[in-house]
Structures are given as C-alpha cells and as structure tokens.
Amino acid sequence: MSIYIDPEVAVSLRGYEVPERLGFGTAMAPVMFRAVCQDGCWSQGELIPYAPLTIDPAAKVLHYAQSCFEGMKAYRTAAGSIALFRPEKNAARMAYSAKRLCMPSVPESLFLDGVRTIAAYCANLVPGNRGESLYLRPFLIGTQADLTVSASTSYEFYVIASPSEAYHTGNMRLWVEREDARAAVGGTGDAKVGGNYAGSLLSVGRLKERGYDQSLWLNPADRSRVDELSGMNFFAVIEGKLHTPALSGSILEGITRNSLLKLARELGYDLVEGAIHIDTLLSQIASGVCTEAFACGTAAIISPISVIGDEAHSHELYQAPGPVAKALREALLDIQEGRAEDNFGWMQPVDPVNF
Amino acid sequence: MSIYIDPEVAVSLRGYEVPERLGFGTAMAPVMFRAVCQDGCWSQGELIPYAPLTIDPAAKVLHYAQSCFEGMKAYRTAAGSIALFRPEKNAARMAYSAKRLCMPSVPESLFLDGVRTIAAYCANLVPGNRGESLYLRPFLIGTQADLTVSASTSYEFYVIASPSEAYHTGNMRLWVEREDARAAVGGTGDAKVGGNYAGSLLSVGRLKERGYDQSLWLNPADRSRVDELSGMNFFAVIEGKLHTPALSGSILEGITRNSLLKLARELGYDLVEGAIHIDTLLSQIASGVCTEAFACGTAAIISPISVIGDEAHSHELYQAPGPVAKALREALLDIQEGRAEDNFGWMQPVDPVNF
Ligand SMILES: Cc1ncc(COP(=O)(O)O)c(C=O)c1O
Ligand SMILES: Cc1ncc(COP(=O)(O)O)c(C=O)c1O
C-alpha cells in the first residue's frame, strides 16, 4: 500500500534543528508514522507532523495497558548512508507481543513501511558519532472507548523517532531482586508490553537508594536463576566461556542477544545458553571464576557490569568492561555502523528522501 | 482546595440525554474531573466537559503502562438521594496501586473531591432501577514525554462517569486457568494497575472458544489454590460455610469482598478466609459438598457461578444463584440503594448541584 505523506512533513523537517546535547529518547523527531486498525482492517500508513495524540479518556490503553512497543535504531554508516538493523526481527517480536495481549498484529509490510519511511525522511537527523543513532520507537495501543475489560476493537500504530546518543549506563551495579518479579510464569515476560516495565519501577527506586543502578531479575518460579535486566539481556564470562540464560518464557528475547550469540560463535567463543544459578554466579564472581559480566540491548548496546550484590553480598567483577564485552561491542558496532563486512546480511539500507 | 467548575459544564450537562439502553461503561457522562501533578505538586481539581485527552506520543503511560485506576459507583437511593459507597476505601486502594508503580498518590481529599464533584453534578444522570448506578472511574496516568524506562515526572488524574446497568454476567462458567497467570509472586496482582488486565485478555479469548465466560486464576507460586477472577473476588459455600481465599499478595482486595465479609458475619454465616485448593474444590463440587459459588465486585455486585471446569473436568454447581449469593446480594444492594439501615456507616450522601 502506498504511504500518505502529509504536506506539513517537509515544513516540520525543514524547521527542525537537532539539539546539541542529545541524551537518549528525549529529543523527538518532528514527524511520526501512523496507521489505524478498526475491526481488524488496517488503514493506509501516513507520515505526519509529530503532535499530541487525542485519546478518549475511556480508551483501553489508559485503563488496561493494552499496548506493546519496539525499540530499534537507524544507523549512519561510515560511508554516510542510513541503515536499519534486522528490522524484520522487531516486526516479528511486535507481532508476538500484540498476540499476547489480544491485539491485531501490525502486518510486517506496514511495520517495515513505518520504520523505513520515518528513517528515510529523517535521514538528516541521524547523528553519526560512534554509538549514536536515530532511535525508533514503534508502538501499538488499544483506543476503543469502553470500560469493560476486553480487547479493544480499534488500535493505533505509531513510529516515533529520537536522535540519540548510546544509552550510557557506565559500569553498572546490579542488585539481585529477590522480592519483586517483573514477570510471572505464564505471564507476559517474553513479550514487550507496557505492564512489564511499570512493575519494575519500584525495584529500581529501592536499589537506587542502596547505591545500585539496575535490577537483576530472577526466574519467577523459584527465583534461583538469572533471567535478565529490566531492559537488557544478561551475559557472563565464566571459565572463559560466554554464558547467557536460555529463553525461559519470562525473558524477552533481545535482538542484540540473538545477534551477539551469532557474532560470538563467529569470533570463536565457547557459548553456553543455559541456567545461570544466582548463588553459583555470586560465588564464581567472588572466587574470580566469573571474570566479566555485561548486559545488552538495542539502546545500551553492551553495558559492562562492575558489581552484582544483594543483602548479603556485593561482589566486584574482575574487569568492567572486560575483553569479551569490548570485543563484542566493537564487532557489533562495526557492522551496524558499516565499518565491517555484513556477513550475516543484517543491515538494510534506507534511501534518504530529500525535500 | 476549591474546585474549578468550567462554565461549559452546565452547558454540557443540560444538553445531555441519558441513553435508553445503558449497558455497562459505554455511555459516558458529558463531564470529567481532572487534576495534574507536576514534580509532586498537585494542581487544583477542575470539572470540565468530557473530551479527548491530548497525550504526547512519548508519554510513559503509552509505553510503560504507568497507570492505575479505581471502579466505584454513585447510587440512587430509594428516597431519591445520591450516595457513594465507602469511597475512602477506593482512595486508599488507589494510593496503594500508585505507590506500587512509583506514582505519586492522589491525596485522599482530592480523590474524594473528584468523585463527589462528578457525582453531585451528574446527580440527574444516576439511574434508579435496581442494580443501576453511575459508575465512576478514577484513573491516574504518567504523562511525561521521555522514552527512558523510569517513573514519570508528570501525572494526570481523572474521574470519568458512566450511567450503567449492573454488569450482567448471568450465570458464569469459569475456566480454571492453569497455563497463564495474571500476576506474579512479587508482582502487581494486589494493585489495580493496567498491566494485570492486559495480561488476562488472552486467557479469556481461549476460554470463550471452549464455551466458558471467565478465567479462574490460581495462585502464581504453584497454581494449586484459587486466587480470583479477572475483575472479581471468589466465594464458595462448602459444608454450609462461606469460604473466600485469604489475601495472598496476588489477589486484589475487593471492597465488595471486604463488605460481604462484614455483612455475612452480621447475617450469621460461618466464614473461612483461607486457602481454597482447586483440586479439592473441584471434587467438593462434584460430590455436592460445595453447594454454591459466586464472584463479587463493584461492577457485577454478586454473580453466580454455574460451572467450574478445566481440561479434565466440568463440574456443575448445585445451585446458581444459590441462597447465600441471593441473600448477600439483597443485603448489600439494600444498603447501597438505601432500603436498609446503614449500620456500618458505609454510605456517604452527595448533595446534588443544580444549575
Ligand atoms: C526486558 C528487555 N530485555 C531485553 C531487551 C533487549 O532487547 P533488544 O536487544 O532487542 O533491544 C529489552 C529491550 O530492548 C527489554 O526491554
Ligand atoms: C482483579 C480484581 N479483583 C477484584 C475486584 C473487585 O473489587 P471491588 O469489589 O473493589 O470492585 C476487581 C475490581 O473491581 C478487580 O479488578
């Protein structure tokens, strides 16, 4: 289907100046992509000026959190061109998330139209320093005005964009969260839905008071094993092998995680996708058997972990960032920013639109 | 603090006609109450015409489900006056829910101002047949435009209202949900937050295909015990005693549940607040030891359960509605609708505002 480009889009883009200090996810591009779904039928996609949404006070998204989202980036390559990283993976994950909440999937073609169109029109807004990008945020919300607890009959899909730095976490101090859970067995932990994030905020508030930065969530069934962080997957180097928790149903399958596993194999690391028992891990850090740990995700790429602690322990990692984290970060960014051969076929060039 | 009444409110109310067929939560009153919180400071409350909200596309509520809500009713009494039922309980529960999601509490006085003001101005809209009411929906949403996963710095509190029938469920067929969970141990199940409801929709979709009406959720730790329904608490009459699951951390403490326990004690029933093992319950239904079961909540009041089933069983309850459900429903409605003495001091009259 063709995409409608609002005549105001050119005006908005011409009048826009990228702020000097970018931060992450705060400066918003002046345009957005939008499509509407009524009773299962999708409208044409349209690129329109960024503007507040008008949402009925009784809309399902506001009361019952019927919403899911994605996070991805448009990169400026070394050659100056613009490219997306594995966007079909985001389309597929969003379809999965939508299904978990009884929302219609955004068709892959519409999803890709959305992210490509906004990247193409915002090509001049994609910053080009190492780790910088145009962060893209596709999201889908239930908009029907009706207070009964049931799936919406109408939905709106948007892609908004934010010229961003890498999400700088610095060396992260992780608090082992043994009280709260971000996800239930049989819950929504493996889908990218709003409710998972709302529930994680309290833990973060508590650990900040204790001088920590991020929660390390455990498996909800018996909280004996590492699941992930609130917005990143977890890796550790133990006896020289690269370990990451196997997908358990309560872990979001990160596209960075998936890509790092492939890259690490190519780079010759020994990989273990399996259970990481938290108490074992803590003693392996204490004894120096676990030499490094890091987290990964689209926003933060790879973030080194310097400390993992709980009430009883606070163990410092041997190296942060360690050599494996550094090597993988370089290898991934080199592909994303076009300095290395894209052997996996991950990058999808976007043709800039000039106006 | 005084409440600002928009001059358009009178116009909106004068022009409004209550629809003939009410339904539940679909017809919205033409006014709403609103207050805004910025960096912890609450604005004056205001009554304004019902209108779409303008929400930034990057607002936290849309992405991270930072939202909580309440459900309560303004009743027309037999004498024609208007009254609220235990509104301070809703204020307290909303404060608890807000805290769970790192949101500022709506001060009790502001919450009560909100529900009283809208009830007072909408007095003419409160329908008066048995079980009918003006359903009130207070809700609080995080509105800051910022894509980082963190608590919002700005919030909006609304109360909207809907002239409604009792939420008619008829005799309900419950499906024992053994796969999905609506809440985690250490999750948000005891708070009234959007994410709990989004996660429950898929289960309901599945059971409808099997000819059931509602999910019966089990305790998330080992799914051996009854927790509640998606929007109602659970009761069963077993060997003549009235049983309801004890509050477990994953159950929402219903105000109807709390009130029925007090009423039932007054009416002389033997009460047991404790574990209801699902397999025991199923065999007690099969053997006739469990004679009736029902669910309760503000919207549906008391709804009889006619069948509880799963893959292996489908057990019919001896009576639906049974005598206990009928007696409690009558006793509660008689207080709410002013036909019986309000010995508990539950009802709070609201003075109608004429204009
Ligand atoms: C809970 C959670 N885990 C992991 C990730 C990492 O996924 P990805 O690598 O696709 O960004 C994210 C976010 O993006 C997340 O929200
Ligand atoms: C999950 C859940 N349980 C129980 C209830 C019943 O609570 P109340 O009696 O306060 O309406 C509700 C809704 O109102 C609910 O959403």
Side-chain angles (χ1 to χ4, degrees):
Chain A
M1 221 184 332
S2 72
I3 297 156
Y4 171 77
I5 309 293
D6 188 295
E8 289 299 313
V9 159
V11 183
S12 303
L13 284 165
R14 276 194 217 111
Y16 182 79
E17 268 186 60
V18 179
E20 269 189 36
R21 300 204 49 203
L22 285 178
F24 184 85
T26 48
M28 302 307 301
V31 296
M32 62 189 184
F33 183 86
R34 174 178 192 269
V36 173
C37 181
Q38 181 66 47
D39 298 313
C41 294
W42 283 96
S43 74
Q44 184 185 24
E46 45 185 29
L47 193 69
I48 56 179
Y50 188 90
L53 313 185
T54 55
I55 299 186
D56 194 283
K60 307 267 188 189
V61 62
L62 301 178
H63 301 266
Y64 309 125
Q66 212 191 6
S67 69
C68 62
F69 67 99
E70 275 302 320
M72 50 197 296
K73 288 173 170 175
Y75 300 86
R76 181 170 300 286
T77 69
S81 63
I82 306 297
L84 297 171
F85 180 74
R86 310 185 77 186
E88 68 292 340
K89 289 288 258 180
N90 296 92
R93 189 169 63 186
M94 181 129 164
Y96 179 80
S97 302
K99 211 170 149 194
R100 181 63 184 82
L101 299 192
C102 293
M103 309 169 87
S105 301
V106 178
E108 186 187 54
S109 59
L110 179 64
F111 184 97
L112 295 175
D113 276 354
V115 295
R116 282 181 192 141
T117 304
I118 198 161
Y121 277 81
C122 294
N124 288 333
L125 278 53
V126 183
N129 292 320
R130 199 161 178 80
E132 292 181 350
S133 63
L134 184 69
Y135 181 75
L136 302 179
R137 171 57 61 93
F139 65 100
L140 177 66
I141 57 177
T143 53
Q144 188 194 2
D146 178 327
L147 295 177
T148 48
V149 180
S150 60
S152 182
T153 53
S154 57
Y155 295 87
E156 296 182 13
F157 169 61
Y158 292 93
V159 188
I160 57 177
S162 171
S164 293
E165 298 167 16
Y167 183 64
H168 284 299
T169 61
N171 278 354
M172 295 187 296
R173 297 168 58 86
L174 301 196
W175 176 260
V176 182
E177 178 57 63
R178 297 186 189 264
E179 260 177 83
D180 285 1
R182 69 174 279 284
V185 181
T188 57
D190 62 352
K192 207 162 164 67
V193 302
N196 299 344
Y197 300 86
S200 75
L201 298 174
L202 189 61
S203 165
V204 177
R206 275 197 307 251
L207 64 85
K208 290 240 155 108
E209 284 168 18
R210 292 166 169 144
Y212 287 79
D213 305 304
Q214 290 271 342
S215 316
L216 182 59
W217 298 101
L218 304 179
N219 71 314
D222 64 4
R223 302 196 235 190
S224 65
R225 301 194 301 274
V226 172
D227 260 1
E228 60 171 328
L229 282 68
S230 298
M232 292 181 245
N233 293 113
F234 180 85
F235 280 83
V237 180
I238 302 167
E239 291 181 321
K241 288 187 184 161
L242 186 59
H243 290 249
T244 195
L247 300 175
S248 64
S250 53
I251 298 179
L252 189 78
E253 182 177 7
I255 293 159
T256 316
R257 174 189 181 280
N258 178 287
S259 307
L260 287 183
L261 287 175
K262 292 191 201 309
L263 261 182
R265 196 165 293 121
E266 204 196 38
L267 294 175
Y269 292 103
D270 279 336
L271 299 183
V272 187
E273 247 188 289
I276 299 184
H277 290 276
I278 182 62
D279 294 330
T280 314
L281 178 71
L282 286 170
S283 61
Q284 285 170 330
I285 297 173
S287 68
V289 169
C290 171
T291 48
E292 56 174 301
F294 58 87
C296 71
T298 297
I301 314 171
I302 287 183
S303 292
I305 294 164
S306 57
V307 170
I308 303 184
D310 62 11
E311 296 287 357
H313 316 270
S314 174
H315 293 309
E316 233 165 285
L317 270 296
Y318 180 60
Q319 284 176 306
V324 180
K326 278 195 232 165
L328 287 174
R329 186 183 159 99
E330 291 308 291
L332 181 63
L333 272 179
D334 281 351
I335 294 176
Q336 291 173 330
E337 299 179 350
R339 284 178 302 271
E341 200 60 52
D342 174 21
N343 294 326
F344 295 101
W346 283 341
M347 303 310 293
Q348 292 198 7
V350 170
D351 286 331
V353 172
N354 296 309
F355 42 83
Chain B
M1 217 180 338
S2 72
I3 296 156
Y4 170 78
I5 309 293
D6 189 293
E8 290 298 312
V9 159
V11 184
S12 302
L13 283 166
R14 275 194 217 110
Y16 182 79
E17 269 188 57
V18 179
E20 268 189 39
R21 300 205 47 204
L22 285 177
F24 184 84
T26 48
M28 303 307 301
V31 296
M32 61 188 184
F33 184 85
R34 175 177 192 267
V36 173
C37 180
Q38 180 66 46
D39 298 314
C41 295
W42 282 96
S43 74
Q44 184 186 25
E46 45 185 30
L47 192 69
I48 56 179
Y50 188 90
L53 313 184
T54 56
I55 300 186
D56 194 283
K60 307 267 189 191
V61 60
L62 301 179
H63 301 267
Y64 308 126
Q66 214 191 4
S67 68
C68 61
F69 67 97
E70 274 303 321
M72 52 200 294
K73 289 174 171 175
Y75 300 86
R76 181 171 300 284
T77 70
S81 64
I82 305 297
L84 296 171
F85 180 74
R86 310 184 79 187
E88 68 292 341
K89 289 289 257 180
N90 295 93
R93 189 169 64 185
M94 183 129 163
Y96 178 80
S97 302
K99 211 169 149 196
R100 182 62 184 83
L101 298 192
C102 292
M103 308 169 88
S105 300
V106 178
E108 186 188 51
S109 59
L110 180 63
F111 183 96
L112 295 176
D113 276 354
V115 294
R116 282 180 192 140
T117 305
I118 198 161
Y121 277 81
C122 294
N124 287 334
L125 278 53
V126 182
N129 292 321
R130 197 162 179 79
E132 292 181 347
S133 63
L134 184 69
Y135 181 75
L136 302 179
R137 171 56 62 90
F139 65 101
L140 176 66
I141 56 176
T143 52
Q144 188 194 2
D146 177 328
L147 295 177
T148 49
V149 180
S150 60
S152 183
T153 53
S154 55
Y155 295 87
E156 296 180 14
F157 169 61
Y158 292 91
V159 188
I160 56 178
S162 171
S164 293
E165 295 167 17
Y167 184 64
H168 284 299
T169 60
N171 278 355
M172 295 188 294
R173 298 167 57 87
L174 301 196
W175 176 258
V176 181
E177 179 57 64
R178 298 188 189 260
E179 261 176 81
D180 285 0
R182 70 175 277 285
V185 180
T188 57
D190 62 352
K192 206 162 165 70
V193 302
N196 298 344
Y197 300 85
S200 75
L201 298 175
L202 189 60
S203 165
V204 178
R206 274 197 306 252
L207 65 83
K208 290 242 155 109
E209 284 168 19
R210 292 167 170 142
Y212 286 79
D213 304 304
Q214 290 270 342
S215 316
L216 182 60
W217 298 100
L218 304 179
N219 72 314
D222 65 3
R223 301 194 234 191
S224 65
R225 300 194 301 274
V226 172
D227 260 2
E228 60 173 328
L229 280 68
S230 299
M232 292 180 244
N233 292 115
F234 180 85
F235 281 82
V237 179
I238 303 168
E239 292 180 322
K241 289 187 182 159
L242 187 58
H243 290 249
T244 195
L247 301 175
S248 63
S250 52
I251 297 180
L252 189 79
E253 183 178 5
I255 293 158
T256 316
R257 173 189 182 281
N258 178 287
S259 308
L260 287 184
L261 287 175
K262 292 190 201 310
L263 261 183
R265 194 165 296 121
E266 205 196 37
L267 294 176
Y269 291 104
D270 278 335
L271 297 183
V272 187
E273 245 188 290
I276 299 184
H277 290 276
I278 182 61
D279 293 331
T280 313
L281 178 70
L282 287 171
S283 60
Q284 285 169 329
I285 298 173
S287 69
V289 169
C290 171
T291 47
E292 57 174 301
F294 58 88
C296 72
T298 297
I301 315 169
I302 287 183
S303 293
I305 295 164
S306 56
V307 170
I308 303 184
D310 62 10
E311 297 286 358
H313 317 269
S314 176
H315 292 309
E316 234 166 283
L317 271 296
Y318 179 61
Q319 282 176 307
V324 181
K326 277 195 232 164
L328 287 173
R329 186 183 157 101
E330 290 307 292
L332 181 63
L333 272 179
D334 281 351
I335 294 177
Q336 291 173 331
E337 299 178 349
R339 283 179 301 270
E341 200 61 51
D342 175 21
N343 294 326
F344 296 101
W346 283 340
M347 302 311 292
Q348 293 196 7
V350 170
D351 285 332
V353 173
N354 296 309
F355 40 84

